[in-house]
Structure formats: C-alpha cells, structure tokens
Amino acid sequence: MEPPSGPASRRHVPWSRLLLAGSLLNFWTPPTATQLTVETVTPLAAEGSDVLLLAHNMTKNTLGYAWQRGERVDNAQLIASYRVDTNATTNGPAYSGRETLYPNGTLLIRNVTQRDTGSYTLLVTKNDLQTEIQTGHLHVHPVLPTPVITSNNSNPREHEDTVVLTCGAETQNTSYMWWINSQSLPKGTRLELSEDKRTLTVVAVTRNDTGPYVCEARNPVSVSRSDPFTLDVLWRENSRALGVGAITGIVIGVLLVLTLLAVLGHLIFLHRYSGIPRCCSCPRLTLVLEEGHPILHFRPGSPGPPHFPTDILSRPQFLPHLVLTCGSFLNTVLIYFVI
C-alpha cells in the first residue's frame, strides 16, 4: 500500500529543523494555562555532587525537548535533545558525558564542577511546532578544605615588627572570621582586617599577642576552621627598669632588716635594763672622754645596773659599733649596736 499523498508526517521531520523552528518561534509563545518552569535541585551545589534540573508543567502534546547551556537557543551549546515519538536521545556539542536526559524532561548532571556554574535553557517543541522556553540557574561551590594560617614573620620582635596573618587559600564567594584566645577579635587600633577579612594585621606586636589564633572559612555549601596558630614573639628584658626595681627591692629589704634589728635590740635592752636611771639625773653615772674615747664610769662604791657591763665603752672592739643615748625615756640608757 502506497502512502497517501499530501504533507509528510511530522514524525519524519529532522530534529535539526525542529530546533531551527524553535529558534524562529522563540519570540512568539502563546500564553498557556500552566507556565513551564525549571527547578534546580539544588541551586547552590557542592562541587562533586549531583544536580537535577526539573521540568514542571510540561505539555502533553510534546514533540520533543532539548537542554542547552546559556540563556538562549544555540545549537552550538546543545547538551542533549529528546524525541518523544521515537524515544531517541541525541547528544550535542556541549555534552560532557556526565549528563542524562530523562523522558520526563529532567536533566541530571553528575559530579558537578565549578565550570558547570551558569544558566541552562529548556526548549520544548509541541506537535504544532510551537515552542516554550524556560531557563534555570546553577551555582557550584567548592567544598572548603581546612584553612591554614600563615604568617609573614615567624619570629616577630616585640614593639618593633608588624605581623600579617593570612587565612587559607583565596576562593570565590568565601567569607572569613577570626578568633584570638577563643574569643572574637577585640576592638583596637593594632588589629586590622582586610576588606575581605582574609588577612589580619597585628601592628607592633607585644608578648600579649601570641594567640592562639583561629580563622574560619565559610561559603554557601561548607564551613571549615583552621588549627590554632600561636605567634612566637621575641622580647628583651628592660635592664634599666629591672635594675631600678632590683635596687629598690634591696634597699627596702635592708631597711626592713635594720629596723627590725633596732626594734628588737631596743626591746631587749628595755627588758633587761629597765632599772637604769636617767643619765642626766643619775649621780652614779658619768660619761667622760679619756684619750678621745667615751668612757662610762660609775661612782666608786655605787653598784652598776643589773647585768650591765660597766666597762663596755672602754672596750676598743665595741667602740666603732656602739652609740650611747641618754635621755628621760623610761629612765633608760640606750645602747645601739651599729651594723
């Protein structure tokens, strides 16, 4: 039986002609009750994951459809096309081997990379050669590795050097945060963050700036923190300040010892010789100079103070170290040993 004369069946229309017709009818798509939409699952994808581009509200009288890279119909950017009547899939120039086109119009992209970021356009051709076009968008972000803090100076000198700390390798769409001693950075003029907060500058480091420092890198699909980093700040002791402090401490210590010895001697003398009369009023006690040396005499026949060595001032070995004080305080004679 010969085929009937008349127009050829639409089933034998080459797919390239359908794409051309779709591009020509691109700007004239009559309104439909349900609008074709494209959903990206997920729109923010981690590198290495799988992504679905879902076609919603697909019409039943569909002749075929095609997915392309970019926001416009371009055969050079064709990923794959599907003919409903023949159940045939044809790969295009933009096919990478990781794409799968399903009969329901869904496009699967496996193991996405950052190069897959961009727009994807779905072209639906109906049986009457009318077309619908809808575009979806995909953003692929890397999974951030553990950042490493690096320093421009491994042994900064206190009050002299400025240190620049850098958080990990630079990546796009990444934000950074810093902590020091497990706390957020204090406000101060010596701590400066770069505009992207990836670098931290410590001006004129001190020994209190040793850290530890921790930085965090964050993007829409991952968060990663660095290991603690500690600065090795070198400093020199201030010899002048330490000398003054040491001398002051020694002087204070010596004065305390002398004061304690003097008070102790005073108390012992008061306890043992509290009965000695006042020098100025006691007729038995006379202080004279013999050959330039002070000699303490008691009047003959007069007993000296109890247990008092009456010739103590005449002993040469004691003369450089004794001071005799005679006064009315408790009617005592005070003898101080001078150290």
Side-chain angles (χ1 to χ4, degrees), residues 39-53 112-113 116-118 136-143 173 219-222:
E39 178 186 5
T40 305
V41 182
T42 60
L44 300 178
E47 194 168 21
S49 63
D50 297 342
V51 175
L52 289 173
L53 296 172
V112 294
T113 68
D116 294 323
T117 297
H137 303 279
L138 172 62
H139 299 276
V140 181
H141 299 274
V143 176
N173 301 317
N219 69 8
V221 298
S222 62

Side-chain angles (χ1 to χ4, degrees), residues 142-289:
V143 176
L144 297 174
T146 300
V148 177
I149 297 178
T150 58
S151 172
N152 69 327
N153 191 336
S154 58
N155 298 109
R157 294 168 295 179
E158 187 177 33
H159 303 302
E160 297 182 15
D161 294 334
T162 294
V163 176
V164 178
L165 303 178
T166 304
C167 181
E170 185 177 5
T171 56
Q172 295 182 350
N173 301 317
T174 302
S175 59
Y176 301 90
M177 294 184 65
W178 289 86
W179 289 269
I180 178 173
N181 296 321
S182 301
Q183 297 179 353
S184 57
L185 295 181
K187 295 182 179 180
T189 57
R190 294 193 307 106
L191 297 177
E192 301 175 356
L193 282 173
S194 61
E195 185 176 355
D196 61 359
K197 298 184 180 181
R198 181 171 168 254
T199 60
L200 172 64
T201 301
V202 185
V203 179
V205 294
T206 69
R207 65 192 71 180
N208 296 326
D209 297 326
T210 55
Y213 295 83
V214 173
C215 75
E216 177 184 280
R218 179 188 296 264
N219 69 8
V221 298
S222 62
V223 177
S224 185
R225 283 194 179 187
S226 70
D227 293 329
F229 178 85
T230 301
L231 282 176
D232 185 14
V233 180
L234 304 179
W235 69 81
R236 293 180 299 178
E237 299 290 350
N238 191 326
S239 57
R240 180 177 181 182
L242 292 177
V244 172
I247 293 174
T248 302
I250 293 173
V251 171
I252 293 176
V254 171
L255 291 177
L256 288 175
V257 172
L258 292 178
T259 302
L260 290 174
L261 291 175
V263 171
L264 181 60
H266 189 181
L267 294 176
I268 293 174
F269 191 86
L270 289 177
H271 177 71
R272 297 185 61 184
Y273 307 116
S274 58
I276 298 178
R278 292 176 296 176
C279 297
C280 302
S281 60
C282 178
R284 297 176 298 168
L285 185 61
T286 304
L287 181 65
V288 297
L289 292 175

Side-chain angles (χ1 to χ4, degrees), residues 123-135:
L123 171 65
V124 178
T125 303
K126 301 178 185 180
N127 291 331
D128 57 3
L129 297 183
Q130 293 181 1
T131 61
E132 287 187 90
I133 295 177
Q134 191 57 260
T135 301

